């Protein structure tokens, strides 16, 4: 879209080439859509830009002053959503909804409307000034949006006396809460939030009570985006509804709770949601972890490992016993790597048992144990029992304490292949972490065979990415001549388009470093060498660090050097 927009602006002499260059420089510096940059710099006015966008995007530009919006259409889209995104539904034909928008490049909002209305959506363009006037006029007449109707339905079904604390036990009336949470308006609201999360490919949904409102946010590609704010009065029935579908205690408001539920999309794809409820000062906060049950994600060949690192990891997977660790912060893909390892080595002749808190993905052919600490089933307790089940391979979801680590090491020493995760930042750092947890160095070198450290960087959008040649400073900073001899120095930067929701990024890819405990590394561990010494020795033996792996991904056009700098430290 950018090229037609530039051509039209220059053709109609709305801006000078110098002004256009200034806008492009500002866009490269701060990011975002060029149209918004032009408005911010006051190089064009809103009406001029609407006309130009209409031609550039080949969308009709309508005059909203001539439209009288059907009140039934206004019920399809919440007032808050319409005002925030500057849009209005203007017509409906069967399952086809036409909406007028000021920013037709806002694909996230369009996808939300599709999920919210279960209709296909077509877009026309409207001038901002006319849109604001039409919004005020239409919703003032209707005085009721979809979410407002939901809220009104909740209030209509709420009986104050049944929701008051019962004096005898000072607990809410559980039956009344269930009745309220089963009302159609509440179900509609909860389903809309869940469906929008799946459409937006969010990894997490945050339902957060604030002082004067209820905030809904999604995490997409590692970044949190605010989706909506609604009345604080919606908090109680919405939280109760999610507790019910997650099989949680709806009358418990003082303690954290964990649960899960599953939905099936229109494409017959199963999506699991892991639920955590946390009491806060403003009320209970819920976080939904979206777990897409896509079996392709557990393919070790599709995790983004460079060929040399992948070959080393596969060799370690075929060892008869020992321990393979995946390390990194929360949300770095450790569990996905562990499942991929298990799937790679799975065969009818292997007894594979996992112990997790909780089980994130139910994998065919594996015996998966869900930790239930409230009943006394902890990691150490489960592991002791598992060792009496004659397993060949044991997966421990996470090593959190010295007791779990001690049992894992002993299992690796007694003929089992153990795969687990550890919260550390680098491979060599995991060695130091295990020593601090009380494991002797000689036990580490006897049990651990490989450590994989990893992160997830955002993929640069393949549709709108822009190529550039790295400067001499960048070549020197990232040691490109040594790392990528013969490379032409061409990389990509994000621009932003409809496909990537104007962020410049779409999806994520893993960056890794695989530390194999060779004889040299084992000698250094026995000598209590520093993390830096172990890292240098591993690099001398061919280990590619996470930063180097990230730079290689950037040179392949998968990500950007900005992402490399954001998530990795210089070697």
């Amino acid at each position: 879209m950018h090229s037609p927009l530039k051509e039209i602006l220059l053709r109609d002499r709305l801006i000078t080439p110098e002004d256009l260059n200034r806008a492009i420089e500002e866009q490269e510096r701060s990011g975002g859509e060029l149209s918004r940059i032009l408005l911010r710099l006051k190089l064009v006015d809103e009406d001029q830009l609407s006309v130009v966008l209409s031609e550039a995007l080949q969308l009709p530009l309508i005059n909203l002053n001539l439209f009288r919006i059907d009140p039934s259409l206004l019920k399809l889209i919440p007032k808050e959503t319409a005002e925030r995104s500057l849009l209005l539904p203007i017509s409906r034909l069967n399952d086809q909804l036409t909406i007028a928008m000021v920013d037709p490049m806002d694909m996230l909002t369009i996808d939300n409307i599709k999920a919210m209305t279960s209709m296909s959506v077509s877009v026309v363009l409207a001038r901002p000034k006319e849109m604001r006037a039409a919004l005020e006029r239409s919703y003032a007449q209707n005085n009721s949006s979809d979410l407002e109707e939901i809220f009104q339905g909740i209030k209509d079904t709420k009986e104050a006396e049944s929701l008051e604390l019962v004096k005898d036990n000072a607990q809410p009336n559980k039956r009344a809460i269930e009745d309220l949470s089963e009302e159609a308006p509440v179900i509609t609201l909860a389903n809309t939030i869940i469906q929008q999360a799946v459409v937006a490919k969010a990894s997490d949904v945050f339902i957060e009570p604030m002082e004067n409102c209820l905030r809904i946010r999604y995490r997409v590609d590692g970044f949190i985006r605010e989706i909506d704010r609604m009345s604080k009065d919606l908090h109680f029935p919405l939280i109760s509804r999610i507790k019910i579908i997650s099989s949680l205690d709806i009358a418990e408001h003082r303690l954290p709770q964990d649960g899960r539920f599953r939905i099936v999309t229109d494409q017959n794809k199963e999506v699991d949601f892991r639920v955590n409820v946390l009491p806060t000062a403003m009320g209970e906060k819920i976080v939904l972890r979206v777990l897409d049950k896509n079996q392709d994600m557990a393919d070790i060949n599709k995790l983004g490992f460079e060929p040399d690192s992948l070959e080393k990891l596969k060799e370690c997977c075929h060892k008869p016993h020992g321990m393979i660790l995946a390390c990194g912060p929360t949300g770095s893909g450790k569990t996905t790597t562990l499942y991929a390892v298990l799937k790679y080595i799975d065969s009818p002749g292997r007894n594979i048992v996992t112990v997790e808190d909780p089980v994130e993905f139910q994998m065919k052919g594996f015996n998966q144990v869900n930790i239930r600490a409230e009943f006394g089933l902890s990691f150490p307790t489960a592991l002791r029992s598992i060792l009496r089940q004659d397993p060949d391979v044991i997966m421990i979801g996470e090593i959190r304490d010295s007791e779990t680590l001690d049992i894992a090491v002993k299992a690796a020493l007694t003929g089992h292949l153990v795969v687990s995760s550890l919260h550390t930042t680098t491979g060599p750092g995991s060695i130091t972490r295990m020593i601090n947890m009380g494991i002797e160095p000689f036990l580490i070198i006897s049990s651990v065979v490989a450590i994989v450290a990893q992160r997830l960087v955002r993929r640069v959008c393949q549709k709108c990415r822009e190529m550039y040649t790295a400067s001499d400073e960048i070549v020197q900073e990232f040691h490109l001549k040594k790392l990528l001899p013969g490379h032409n120095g061409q990389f990509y930067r994000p621009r932003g388009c409809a496909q990537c929701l104007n962020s410049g990024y779409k999806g994520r890819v893993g960056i890794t470093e695989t530390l194999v405990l060779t004889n040299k590394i084992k000698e250094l561990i026995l000598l209590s060498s520093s993390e830096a010494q172990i890292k240098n020795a591993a690099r001398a033996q061919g280990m590619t660090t996470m930063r180097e792996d990230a730079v290689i991904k950037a040179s392949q056009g998968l990500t950007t050097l900005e992402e490399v700098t954001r998530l990795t430290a210089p070697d």
Side-chain angles (χ1 to χ4, degrees):
M1 191 274 289
H2 292 97
S3 293
L5 177 62
K6 297 173 187 176
E7 292 171 2
I8 297 169
L9 288 169
L10 294 175
R11 182 199 69 195
D12 295 346
R13 298 182 180 179
L14 296 174
I15 61 174
T16 64
E18 292 76 14
D19 287 338
L20 179 59
N21 291 334
R22 182 157 66 96
I24 293 173
E25 290 174 0
E26 175 63 23
Q27 183 188 36
E28 293 174 349
R29 183 165 52 252
S30 60
E33 276 294 316
L34 180 60
S35 57
R36 296 178 182 177
I37 301 292
L38 293 168
L39 285 176
R40 192 166 71 235
L41 296 179
K42 298 181 178 180
L43 298 177
V44 295
D45 61 37
E46 290 182 337
D47 287 346
Q48 290 174 329
L49 184 60
S50 296
V51 174
V52 173
L53 284 175
S54 175
E55 182 178 350
L57 297 174
Q58 297 183 342
L59 290 176
L61 178 63
I62 66 170
N63 183 354
L64 282 176
N65 293 329
L66 304 178
F67 279 77
R68 183 185 179 277
I69 308 301
D70 186 344
S72 64
L73 294 177
L74 298 176
K75 297 177 182 179
L76 298 173
I77 299 176
K79 178 181 179 182
E80 293 85 350
T81 301
E83 291 180 339
R84 185 181 63 252
S85 301
L86 290 179
L87 61 87
L88 262 178
I90 59 173
S91 70
R92 174 183 178 179
L93 180 61
N94 297 324
D95 291 332
Q96 177 74 33
L97 180 67
T98 300
I99 60 174
M101 298 184 71
V102 167
D103 183 8
M105 304 293 288
D106 188 355
M107 298 305 297
L108 179 59
T109 295
I110 294 174
D111 287 340
N112 286 345
I113 299 299
K114 291 178 181 177
M116 186 185 304
T117 61
S118 299
M119 300 181 192
S120 57
V121 173
S122 59
V123 178
V124 296
L125 196 62
R127 294 178 175 87
K129 186 176 181 180
E130 294 174 5
M131 174 63 73
R132 297 185 187 100
L135 283 169
E136 183 176 356
R137 180 174 63 250
S138 300
Y139 280 99
Q141 294 172 353
N142 194 57
N143 199 29
S144 173
S145 69
D146 191 33
L147 285 181
E148 287 171 336
E149 280 201 342
I150 293 172
F151 177 40
Q152 188 61 46
I154 292 167
K155 290 197 296 184
D156 290 344
T157 60
K158 187 195 301 186
E159 298 180 7
E161 64 273 14
S162 63
L163 291 181
E164 290 179 352
L165 294 183
V166 180
K167 293 182 180 179
D168 293 339
N169 55 14
Q171 291 294 326
N173 186 309
K174 189 172 182 177
R175 181 66 246 173
I177 298 174
E178 290 178 350
D179 291 344
L180 173 62
S181 302
E182 292 295 341
E183 291 293 331
V186 182
I187 295 174
T188 301
L189 176 59
N191 289 349
T192 298
I193 292 172
I194 292 167
Q195 291 167 3
Q196 287 179 350
V198 175
V199 170
K201 297 184 178 179
S203 60
D204 300 273
V205 179
F206 302 87
I207 303 175
E208 304 166 306
M210 312 299 287
E211 185 174 2
N212 299 312
C213 66
L214 180 65
R215 182 172 67 179
I216 310 297
R217 298 191 294 170
Y218 295 163
R219 186 187 296 276
V220 181
D221 291 340
F223 279 76
I224 296 179
R225 303 176 182 179
E226 183 171 320
I227 301 301
D228 211 342
R229 292 190 179 217
M230 55 191 70
S231 169
K232 181 70 175 286
D233 293 309
L234 291 169
H235 172 249
F236 178 74
L238 178 59
I239 295 293
S240 299
R241 173 61 188 168
I242 293 178
K243 284 184 178 180
I244 287 174
I245 63 178
S246 307
S247 301
L248 300 178
D249 186 354
I250 60 175
E252 177 57 70
H253 306 285
R254 299 162 297 181
L255 298 174
Q257 297 187 68
D258 291 293
R260 66 189 306 153
F261 63 89
R262 177 181 301 168
I263 67 169
V264 179
T265 67
D266 295 337
Q267 293 77 31
N268 290 322
K269 183 175 70 172
E270 291 185 349
V271 181
D272 281 350
F273 286 79
R274 198 173 75 197
V275 182
N276 178 262
V277 184
L278 179 69
T280 70
M282 295 295 174
E284 289 178 293
K285 170 186 175 180
I286 280 188
V287 176
L288 310 179
R289 171 65 61 88
V290 186
L291 305 171
D292 190 346
K293 299 182 68 177
N294 179 7
Q295 294 297 316
D296 287 341
M297 55 148 260
D299 188 338
I300 197 171
N301 296 305
K302 297 180 180 179
L303 294 184
F305 284 89
E306 289 301 306
D308 290 345
S309 298
L310 180 61
E311 189 61 33
K312 291 178 183 178
L313 180 59
K314 285 183 175 180
E315 288 178 5
C316 294
C317 289
H318 289 299
K319 292 185 179 295
H321 57 82
M323 184 156 60
I324 298 173
L325 292 173
C327 63
T330 301
S332 60
K334 300 187 298 297
T335 302
T336 300
T337 298
L338 297 183
Y339 280 134
V341 168
L342 294 185
K343 188 176 179 182
Y344 174 68
I345 62 177
D346 184 29
S347 69
R350 287 181 182 267
N351 179 15
I352 298 177
V353 185
T354 77
V355 52
E356 306 168 64
D357 183 21
V359 172
E360 292 198 11
F361 298 97
Q362 295 175 356
M363 306 291 286
K364 294 179 181 179
F366 300 168
N367 304 286
Q368 296 175 275
V369 178
N370 203 2
I371 291 300
R372 300 294 298 273
E374 66 272 24
F375 300 126
L377 183 59
S378 61
F379 274 109
T381 303
L383 285 171
R384 292 189 186 96
S385 180
I386 285 171
L387 289 173
R388 293 191 287 271
Q389 293 276 320
D390 189 29
D392 297 302
V393 183
I394 302 172
M395 185 190 108
I396 305 171
E398 182 183 346
I399 294 177
R400 300 176 180 174
D401 52 58
S402 56
E403 186 177 8
T404 303
L405 178 59
D406 181 63
I407 296 174
V409 168
K410 289 177 180 176
L413 290 172
T414 53
H416 305 88
L417 182 63
V418 179
V419 296
S420 186
S421 67
L422 197 62
H423 276 271
T424 55
T425 55
T426 64
S430 300
I431 304 295
T432 305
R433 171 68 173 150
M434 285 188 283
I435 293 174
N436 290 338
M437 292 175 73
I439 301 299
E440 295 292 338
F442 72 89
L443 291 176
I444 294 175
I445 67 172
S446 301
S447 58
V448 179
V449 295
I451 302 172
V452 178
Q454 60 187 84
R455 299 286 188 281
L456 292 176
V457 297
R458 292 182 294 171
R459 287 181 181 267
V460 66
C461 178
Q462 300 297 300
K463 184 174 181 180
C464 66
R465 63 182 185 175
E466 179 184 57
M467 182 182 289
Y468 70 97
T469 302
S471 64
D472 293 339
E473 291 79 7
I474 291 178
V475 170
Q476 185 175 357
E477 177 184 355
F478 292 97
H479 310 292
L480 297 181
K481 291 183 177 180
K482 180 180 178 181
L483 179 62
L484 301 169
H487 187 258
N488 57 13
Q490 291 184 334
F491 292 87
Y492 292 88
R493 61 166 62 98
R495 291 294 301 271
C497 67
Q499 294 293 322
C500 61
L501 308 177
N502 298 320
S503 67
Y505 297 93
K506 187 176 182 180
R508 290 190 288 178
V509 62
I511 56 172
T512 62
E513 65 180 31
T514 304
L515 173 65
V516 178
L517 268 66
T518 61
N519 291 333
K520 176 62 177 177
I521 301 299
K522 292 179 179 179
E523 290 176 7
L524 292 174
I525 294 173
L526 280 177
L527 295 173
S528 300
S529 301
S530 67
E531 181 179 335
Q533 290 174 311
I534 295 174
K535 180 177 180 178
N536 291 335
R539 293 183 69 185
Q541 294 185 333
M543 183 186 80
T544 301
T545 66
M546 265 193 297
R547 189 175 182 88
E548 291 171 340
D549 189 34
V551 173
I552 292 172
K553 297 284 194 304
S555 71
Q556 296 169 346
L558 297 176
T559 188
T560 65
L561 292 178
E562 290 80 6
E563 280 291 283
V564 175
T565 304
R566 184 176 69 88
L567 284 173
T568 63
D571 293 322

